[in-house]
């Protein structure tokens, strides 16, 4: 009966209720509202602990009544007015980051399993993997860096725009990023990337296609101890090239899903006090995560693996001896495929995104385009102000000025 009355009200104020009754009110909403909502409870004292623990999301305010509410909460803020930024900005960013991170994690593992499955079908399901066992073990470590940096630094819409348009929060309430439509798109593009990657790499590396001249020629070591090292028909070289293409493709995919590419400020380390920002704000996080820690780290790990097999003479590492030197140093075909195959596969993703954004745009995509248009107009306004300031200075100096360019710029902005 209480809930039936309260459900018809825009807001309900409960006065002089006990801590247990606060928790029961939250449980009432969780139990009888359909569909089940995501509840949030915020409090600043020990009498709010039960309510905070009963809600899906608990927010504690650190104040004069102690730290009991803060210790029992999921998030802590210093003042109640910070709740708006916590929900609209940081909560929205975190939801989008985590949604894409989860989808990307399934996507990258499905991509690896897809290549293994296709090769298994070509070997009569004998169980022979196309990749070396230690290379497979390295996969989740190498391929995780792009999405980890994405999870830390990506921002979908800037703070100022979100605060001016709080309606953008509706996209997270509606689970826009993990709806069936978005999940099906990720599954489809995963199959497309597997097929394109295998079709472009498999025939080129199979049979006589693997015998390509190296940068120094096929017979770079023309003696009995070191025969010519340009041939590439072995399984380890075959799998290493496809693995390299896959790592680059995963980096492209993470870049396409990112809404903010952080290139930093050069020089990245400076002692000048006029820069006005610290070292942490000058680092190019995108390049570090996507290039240095992903692709270059894979090259480093591959070379180290090859050298370990040569120096230790171990049977566990011996099968990969000199594979990296053979594949990356003496075969031009490797770099041709590493350049062309990921781009060809990524173009399918670009085409799908372009079609979806033009004919079936999401609410977030619409706001991204509006924000970009507003940003361009602000830049144009700043340029006009700079021109006017320059014109005023020239007028004070007694130099002739021409206002046609300034007036044309203003008319162009008004027309837009």
């Amino acid at each position: 009966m209480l809930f039936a009355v309260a459900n018809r009200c825009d807001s309900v104020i409960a006065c002089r209720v006990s801590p247990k009754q606060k928790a029961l009110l939250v449980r009432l909403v969780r139990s009888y509202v359909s569909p089940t909502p995501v509840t949030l409870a915020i409090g600043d004292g020990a009498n709010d602990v039960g309510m905070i623990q009963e809600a899906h999301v608990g927010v504690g305010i650190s104040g004069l009544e102690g730290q009991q509410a803060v210790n029992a909460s999921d998030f802590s803020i210093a003042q109640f007015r910070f709740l708006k930024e916590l929900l609209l900005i940081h909560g929205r960013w975190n939801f989008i980051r985590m949604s894409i991170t989860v989808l990307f994690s399934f996507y990258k593992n499905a991509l690896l399993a897809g290549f293994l499955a296709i090769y298994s079908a070509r070997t009569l399901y004998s169980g022979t993997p196309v990749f070396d066992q230690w290379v497979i073990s390295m996969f989740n470590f190498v391929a995780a860096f792009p999405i980890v940096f994405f999870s830390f630094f990506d921002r979908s819409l800037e703070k100022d725009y979100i605060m001016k348009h709080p309606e953008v929060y509706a996209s997270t309430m509606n689970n826009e990023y993990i709806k069936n439509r978005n999940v099906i798109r990720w599954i489809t593009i995963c199959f497309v990337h597997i097929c394109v990657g295998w079709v472009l790499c498999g025939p080129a590396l199979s049979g006589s296609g693997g015998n390509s001249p190296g940068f120094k020629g096929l017979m770079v070591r023309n003696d009995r101890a070191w025969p010519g090292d340009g041939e590439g028909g072995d399984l380890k070289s075959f799998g290493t090239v496809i693995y390299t293409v896959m790592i680059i493709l995963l980096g492209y995919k993470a870049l396409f899903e990112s809404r903010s590419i952080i290139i930093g400020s050069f020089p990245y380390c400076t002692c000048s006090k006029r820069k006005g920002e610290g070292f942490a704000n000058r680092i190019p996080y995108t390049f570090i995560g996507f290039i240095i820690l992903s692709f270059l780290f894979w090259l480093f790990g591959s070379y180290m693996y090859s050298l370990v097999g040569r120096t230790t003479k171990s049977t566990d590492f011996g099968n990969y001896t000199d594979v990296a030197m053979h594949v990356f140093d003496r075969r031009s075909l490797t770099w041709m495929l590493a350049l062309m195959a990921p781009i060809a596969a990524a173009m399918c993703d670009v085409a799908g995104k372009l079609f979806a954004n033009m004919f079936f745009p999401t609410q977030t995509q619409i706001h991204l385009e509006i924000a970009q248009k507003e940003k361009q107009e602000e830049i144009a306004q700043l340029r006009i102000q700079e021109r006017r300031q320059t014109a005023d200075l020239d007028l004070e100096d007694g130099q002739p000025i021409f206002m046609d360019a300034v007036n044309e710029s203003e008319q162009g902005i008004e027309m837009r």
Side-chain angles (χ1 to χ4, degrees):
M1 179 178 176
L2 174 63
F3 179 78
V5 176
N7 193 34
R8 297 181 176 274
C9 303
D10 295 332
S11 60
V12 177
I13 301 176
C15 300
R16 303 189 65 82
V17 294
S18 64
K20 184 176 181 180
Q21 289 174 330
K22 292 182 179 181
L24 291 176
L25 286 174
V26 176
R27 184 181 299 177
L28 202 66
V29 174
R30 295 185 58 172
S31 301
Y32 292 98
V33 174
S34 181
T36 304
V38 178
T39 57
L40 182 145
I42 180 170
D44 61 350
N47 58 342
D48 300 318
V49 171
M51 174 183 63
I52 291 174
Q53 293 179 341
E54 185 67 32
H56 291 96
V57 181
V59 179
I61 302 176
S62 56
L64 301 177
E65 298 189 22
Q67 298 293 318
Q68 289 86 348
V70 172
N71 296 333
S73 63
D74 301 307
F75 303 95
S76 175
I77 57 178
Q79 298 179 16
F80 187 83
R81 61 186 179 92
F82 296 150
L83 181 64
K84 185 177 181 180
E85 293 187 0
L86 177 65
L87 292 177
L88 296 182
I89 298 176
H90 301 288
R92 181 178 177 276
W93 284 349
N94 184 70
F95 180 85
I96 295 174
R97 292 167 183 169
M98 292 299 102
S99 298
I100 296 180
T101 299
V102 170
L103 292 172
F104 185 88
S105 299
F106 283 103
Y107 159 80
K108 72 177 179 61
N109 288 288
L111 197 67
L112 175 67
F115 284 115
L116 292 173
I118 292 179
Y119 183 78
S120 178
R122 298 192 60 173
T123 58
L124 302 179
Y125 300 98
S126 62
T128 303
V130 65
F131 308 121
D132 184 82
Q133 59 178 349
W134 290 103
V135 172
I136 296 176
S137 301
M138 198 188 307
F139 176 73
N140 280 323
F141 185 75
V142 175
F145 283 111
I147 198 61
V148 167
F149 276 72
F150 171 90
S151 302
F152 286 160
F153 302 109
D154 188 65
R155 296 181 177 184
S156 178
L157 298 172
E158 294 298 327
K159 293 182 180 180
D160 296 337
Y161 185 87
I162 296 175
M163 297 303 289
K164 289 191 299 183
H165 303 84
E167 63 271 12
V168 299
Y169 186 75
S171 61
T172 59
M173 294 177 60
N174 297 328
N175 293 330
E176 180 180 290
Y177 284 84
I178 52 177
K179 280 187 173 180
N180 293 335
R181 164 192 170 182
N182 206 29
V183 174
I184 293 174
R185 181 176 67 84
W186 277 84
I187 295 174
T188 303
I189 203 62
C190 180
F191 280 104
V192 171
H193 285 174
I194 293 171
C195 295
V196 173
W198 183 265
V199 168
L200 293 179
C201 296
L205 296 170
S206 301
S208 60
N211 300 330
S212 65
F215 301 109
K216 298 181 180 179
L218 282 172
M219 302 303 292
V220 62
R221 295 191 177 107
N222 189 15
D223 55 36
R224 295 182 179 180
W226 295 93
D229 195 13
E231 299 79 3
D234 62 293
L235 177 59
K236 300 299 180 182
S237 300
F238 180 85
T240 300
V241 176
I242 296 180
Y243 190 91
T244 303
V245 170
M246 184 170 54
I247 293 297
I248 299 175
L249 179 58
L250 289 172
Y252 286 163
K253 179 61 177 175
L255 282 175
F256 291 149
E257 297 299 328
S258 177
R259 300 297 184 182
S260 56
I261 298 178
I262 303 174
I263 60 175
S265 301
F266 187 83
Y268 304 123
C269 183
T270 177
C271 298
S272 176
K273 297 181 180 180
R274 294 179 296 175
K275 297 297 182 180
E277 56 186 2
F279 170 72
N281 295 324
R282 304 179 63 84
I283 300 176
Y285 292 102
T286 299
F287 294 141
I288 291 176
F290 291 83
I291 299 177
I292 298 177
L293 293 180
S294 183
F295 178 66
L296 294 184
F297 185 82
W298 152 239
L299 294 181
F300 173 79
S302 180
Y303 277 102
M304 289 298 102
Y305 184 17
S306 298
L307 291 175
V308 168
R310 177 194 294 180
T311 56
T312 61
K313 309 297 182 181
S314 174
T315 56
D316 294 332
F317 306 103
N319 293 332
Y320 206 79
T321 301
D322 288 346
V323 171
M325 296 75 167
H326 165 69
V327 171
F328 299 116
D329 295 351
R330 302 184 181 93
R331 297 184 64 201
S332 57
L333 181 62
T334 300
W335 297 103
M336 292 174 62
L337 292 175
L339 174 65
M340 298 175 60
I343 293 178
M347 289 303 297
C348 300
D349 197 4
V350 173
K353 285 181 177 293
L354 180 62
F355 178 81
N357 293 339
M358 290 183 62
F359 299 102
F360 304 97
T362 61
Q363 182 183 10
T364 302
Q365 179 63 31
I366 294 173
H367 282 286
L368 285 169
E369 295 178 5
I370 295 174
Q372 183 64 25
K373 183 178 180 180
E374 292 181 356
K375 185 178 180 180
Q376 293 175 354
E377 293 178 352
E378 290 177 1
I379 294 174
Q381 290 285 358
L382 289 175
R383 290 177 178 174
I384 291 176
Q385 292 178 4
E386 291 177 357
R387 292 178 182 178
R388 284 193 171 277
Q389 292 175 358
T390 304
D392 293 340
L393 292 175
D394 292 341
L395 184 62
E396 293 176 359
D397 294 338
Q399 298 180 5
I401 57 174
F402 301 93
M403 299 299 294
D404 294 340
V406 177
N407 294 332
E408 290 178 0
S409 301
E410 291 181 346
Q411 292 176 3
I413 293 177
E414 291 178 357
M415 292 177 63
R416 288 196 296 268

